Amino acid sequence: MSEEISSVVDIDQQEYIINIGPQHPSTHGVLRFVVSLQGEVVKSLQPHIGYIHRGIEKMCENLTYQQIIHLTDRMDYLSAHTNNEAVCLCVEKALGIEVPERVKYIRTILDELTRLASHQLWWCSFGMDLGGQTCYFYGLRDREKILDIFEETCGARLLLSYNTPGGLMWDIHPNFQKRIKEFIKYFRKKLPEYDAILTGNVIMHQRTEDIGILSLEDAISYGITGPTARASGFSCDVRKRYPYSAYDKADFKEIIYTKGDTFHRYQARMDEMWESMKILEQLVDNIPEGDFTAKMKPVIKLPEGEYYQRVESARGELGVFIVSKGEKYPYRMKFRSPNFCNLAIMNKLTSNFKIADLIAISGSLDLVIPDIDR
Amino acid sequence: MKSFIKYISDIFSGVASLLKGMRVTGKYFFSPRAIVTQQYPENRHKKGKKKLEMFDRFKGEVIMPHSENNQHKCTACGICENNCPNGTIEVISVMNIGEDGKKKRALDKHIYRLSMCSFCALCVKTCPSKALAFSQEFEHAVFDRKKLIKILNKPGSTLMKGIE
Ligand code: SF4
Ligand code: SF4
């Protein structure tokens, strides 16, 4: 009798398919993973995307270059300023105009603040994914200080829309520099607390070390960028390799780790926070005097041609590609979003790991779903 | 034997790492002044440092400031309408006959649909006569969505002197 049952249903061999998402609390956004399991082990994983596709690239074809900026906020909302800047830099490159030094410095400072805020949010949600609720409150508490700086100068906390082709919407607030210096002083004390709570934690170590190893070859062939790729030894920092804005004036290290497991991806981001603070310290006192915008015509028409500009957002390389036919609207606009490429590796990273590791791995890739769907 | 020693020492170092984290949380537990949570909506009416105040530049909603004589600065040129990426603004103008007998365009209604605004600030920035501004209001919840369609110029308001 018992023999008969086991021949009908062999649980060990049976494949079991579950959906994670679209609204699972551990995937930040509306993404759906169709996971095929054998017991507790992930055999294959298929991401299904497009739940918040808004057609941003298509919408851009009917908007002027000034109007496009506010849409790019809504792609990777945690790197809103970086997205804005990418479009502005591309338009400025096409027009061949040089923005004032002051603009370059302010843009770089805001870039780094954005990166810090984004990594703080990543840290706290990563901690929460692994079961550490406390992290969430500590991370958000410190992020609040950066959002206050944004709010005072740009007028918004998340979707800044502070850049405009040729410069900035308005000048910085008189308190801007003071607040940044206060923040750095404050955060230099708080970052070691992050390490004490999560980095050294034994549970965290056991759940991340040797989990989801991304090899250098895979990182390159899948087009992975950002801290995720740098944790695998792929030196791809756009800030270093193709410096834009004022990054050539700042002295900072490109964080490279070699193992490529979840823990090294974690470490790469933690170290980037220290580097970001270093960049801020170098630039904040040296903002040159001058205009906050270059002289621009009210209607911007790009000369006919194709233009590409890349920047380093908090998650990797963001590329903006504009095809212009000489009109005030772009003929085609394409965004190369880092999250889309980083998502592609999920199947390879998670296969033959446990389902609990899947959450840790997807947390360590730091995916922002609206950027994938656009 | 070696693996056994490692097993024991792993337990101790693991517990030590947990205690290290708990020292941080414990520190906050015993110093309530480090807590930064704000009590909303109670802090709307508080005084001093705890009071909820937005920054001057905060983009709450688009308004049209009026002077004490109920005058605004909008000439109904329609530039804000053209610049808005979302079609949020609609400027309805009328043709008035001025004192000198010439026809002159004047503002009838400046319609602003708050529900469609994405706070990009292009209207405020491009208005040639600086007729628009942002208010710091952020509590926009209403029961009827019709209330989100606002007419920015006040009833009976006129154009400020000296603005063409
Ligand atoms: S608000 Fe300003 S831009 Fe809009 S119609 Fe009036 S004057 Fe023109
Ligand atoms: S802020 Fe932007 S979206 Fe809102 S009304 Fe002004 S131009 Fe339109």
Side-chain angles (χ1 to χ4, degrees):
Chain A
M1 185 67 190
S2 64
E3 250 180 55
E4 221 181 296
I5 290 175
S6 67
S7 70
V8 177
V9 185
D10 190 347
I11 291 186
D12 282 348
Q13 295 307 314
Q14 219 182 27
E15 215 156 273
Y16 179 65
I17 294 187
I18 62 162
N19 278 306
I20 297 192
Q23 271 122 343
H24 191 271
S26 289
T27 55
H28 330 144
V30 237
L31 176 69
R32 173 168 157 229
F33 290 134
V34 178
V35 190
S36 147
L37 297 172
Q38 216 170 60
E40 223 188 321
V41 179
V42 178
K43 281 295 154 196
S44 73
L45 174 147
Q46 261 185 13
H48 284 228
I49 62 171
Y51 288 94
I52 28 175
H53 176 68
R54 292 145 295 170
I56 286 183
E57 286 176 8
K58 190 70 193 167
M59 278 156 89
C60 289
E61 290 166 20
N62 287 313
L63 293 176
T64 65
Y65 292 102
Q66 288 100 329
Q67 291 173 340
I68 285 172
I69 305 295
H70 94 289
L71 277 181
T72 59
D73 273 345
R74 281 136 182 104
M75 298 194 314
D76 182 352
Y77 49 83
L78 292 177
S79 319
H81 180 266
T82 330
N83 299 352
N84 293 170
E85 191 185 0
V87 178
C88 292
L89 287 173
C90 195
V91 172
E92 283 150 16
K93 193 154 111 184
L95 289 174
I97 51 169
E98 184 72 20
V99 296
E101 281 296 294
R102 184 178 177 79
V103 176
K104 290 186 184 172
Y105 272 73
I106 296 170
R107 278 182 180 171
T108 314
I109 290 172
L110 283 170
D111 263 350
E112 288 312 311
L113 284 175
T114 308
R115 195 181 318 282
L116 269 173
S118 165
H119 283 354
Q120 282 168 347
L121 188 79
W122 158 80
W123 179 80
C124 55
S125 55
F126 184 64
M128 202 168 73
D129 284 355
L130 297 181
Q133 288 278 337
T134 324
C135 305
Y136 206 78
F137 301 111
Y138 290 4
L140 286 190
R141 174 196 65 195
D142 301 339
R143 181 166 172 262
E144 194 66 20
K145 306 248 175 219
I146 299 185
L147 298 191
D148 277 348
I149 300 174
F150 286 160
E151 196 181 337
E152 197 170 35
T153 285
C154 316
R157 302 168 72 76
L158 197 61
L159 309 172
L160 304 180
S161 293
Y162 184 51
N163 273 296
T164 176
L168 308 166
M169 290 294 261
W170 40 74
D171 208 354
I172 50 171
H173 195 272
N175 283 350
F176 184 66
Q177 280 141 302
K178 192 182 101 212
R179 270 183 188 267
I180 290 179
K181 276 184 257 177
E182 273 169 16
F183 168 75
I184 295 174
K185 214 169 126 209
Y186 166 85
F187 195 53
R188 273 192 185 280
K189 283 204 210 85
K190 295 293 173 188
L191 202 45
E193 273 184 10
Y194 287 24
D195 285 336
I197 292 176
L198 199 59
T199 314
N201 189 302
V202 59
I203 303 168
M204 144 90 181
H205 270 267
Q206 298 204 333
R207 287 200 56 186
T208 55
E209 268 174 3
D210 294 321
I211 300 291
I213 295 176
L214 171 67
S215 68
L216 176 59
E217 291 76 30
D218 279 346
I220 293 170
S221 62
Y222 278 75
I224 312 287
T225 46
T228 312
R230 291 198 280 280
S232 301
F234 179 21
S235 152
C236 59
D237 199 331
V238 182
R239 295 174 291 170
K240 269 268 186 250
R241 314 207 128 220
Y242 308 95
Y244 54 94
S245 293
Y247 279 113
D248 46 352
K249 314 254 176 11
D251 172 36
F252 64 102
K253 261 207 332 266
E254 184 180 0
I255 307 292
I256 303 263
Y257 279 86
T258 47
K259 203 158 140 202
D261 62 349
T262 304
F263 186 67
H264 273 187
R265 285 195 282 279
Y266 172 90
Q267 274 290 316
R269 291 210 171 81
M270 294 306 273
D271 288 2
E272 265 193 13
M273 286 204 238
W274 286 108
E275 289 304 313
S276 289
M277 279 197 280
K278 250 202 249 165
I279 299 175
L280 284 175
E281 271 169 349
Q282 290 167 35
L283 297 183
V284 70
D285 276 329
N286 302 325
I287 302 179
E289 293 296 318
D291 272 341
F292 61 87
T293 172
K295 271 256 168 294
M296 296 293 283
K297 293 200 192 95
V299 179
I300 297 176
K301 284 186 182 168
L302 294 199
E304 209 172 317
E306 298 176 358
Y307 309 98
Y308 185 71
Q309 171 70 41
R310 50 178 132 204
V311 296
E312 179 82 16
S313 87
R315 278 157 203 78
E317 177 184 324
L318 174 80
V320 176
F321 180 62
I322 302 178
V323 182
S324 170
K325 293 266 188 243
E327 286 159 18
K328 64 176 181 174
Y329 305 130
Y331 177 74
R332 172 83 170 94
M333 190 109 183
K334 159 91 182 120
F335 297 104
R336 182 243 184 254
S337 66
N339 290 290
F340 184 76
C341 299
N342 291 4
L343 173 73
I345 197 77
M346 269 303 277
N347 181 27
K348 201 154 196 182
L349 286 190
T350 50
S351 57
N352 292 327
F353 284 104
K354 296 268 165 58
I355 183 124
D357 298 334
L358 163 67
I359 304 300
I361 292 170
S362 79
S364 76
L365 291 185
D366 192 13
L367 300 171
V368 167
I369 317 301
D371 194 32
I372 298 171
D373 290 342
R374 269 163 289 158
Chain B
M1 190 61 200
K2 226 181 192 168
S3 68
F4 180 70
I5 292 175
K6 188 171 179 305
Y7 177 74
I8 296 292
S9 70
D10 275 358
I11 288 177
F12 278 106
S13 64
V15 170
S17 80
L18 293 181
L19 287 178
K20 202 170 145 201
M22 278 161 87
R23 209 171 67 201
V24 177
T25 48
K27 200 177 86 196
Y28 286 111
F29 184 71
F30 288 111
S31 60
R33 250 193 292 160
I35 293 171
V36 290
T37 317
Q38 296 184 12
Q39 299 293 339
Y40 177 82
E42 286 85 351
N43 61 355
R44 276 194 299 191
H45 310 298
K46 282 233 170 85
K47 288 207 180 68
K49 222 181 158 193
K50 287 237 172 88
K51 187 169 158 48
L52 178 68
E53 265 182 278
M54 309 311 280
F55 292 106
D56 310 339
R57 291 185 183 180
F58 179 70
K59 295 185 269 193
E61 68 176 296
V62 177
I63 52 164
M64 189 180 282
H66 284 61
S67 71
E68 58 271 24
N69 310 331
N70 203 14
Q71 288 177 323
H72 58 75
K73 292 191 201 159
C74 175
T75 57
C77 66
I79 288 179
C80 55
E81 186 178 343
N82 284 339
N83 269 304
C84 179
N86 306 317
T88 311
I89 294 176
E90 199 179 323
V91 180
I92 298 176
S93 58
V94 287
M95 281 298 180
N96 283 351
I97 314 266
E99 290 144 23
D100 48 357
K102 272 192 209 146
K103 269 195 187 173
K104 206 160 172 282
R105 196 163 42 171
L107 181 68
D108 183 20
K109 273 182 197 154
H110 192 291
I111 302 172
Y112 168 63
R113 296 185 180 84
L114 178 58
S115 50
M116 283 162 67
C117 179
S118 56
F119 308 107
C120 64
L122 285 176
C123 54
V124 176
K125 194 172 149 74
T126 52
C127 173
S129 52
K130 303 263 171 293
L132 298 177
F134 277 111
S135 83
Q136 277 70 49
E137 181 63 41
F138 63 94
E139 290 160 324
H140 294 311
V142 285
F143 278 109
D144 186 356
R145 87 168 80 151
K146 283 201 200 83
K147 288 189 181 145
L148 294 174
I149 302 176
K150 304 193 176 191
I151 295 171
L152 294 189
N153 53 324
K154 291 190 185 144
S157 60
T158 50
L159 182 63
M160 213 175 271
K161 282 253 151 48
I163 290 179
E164 287 303 315

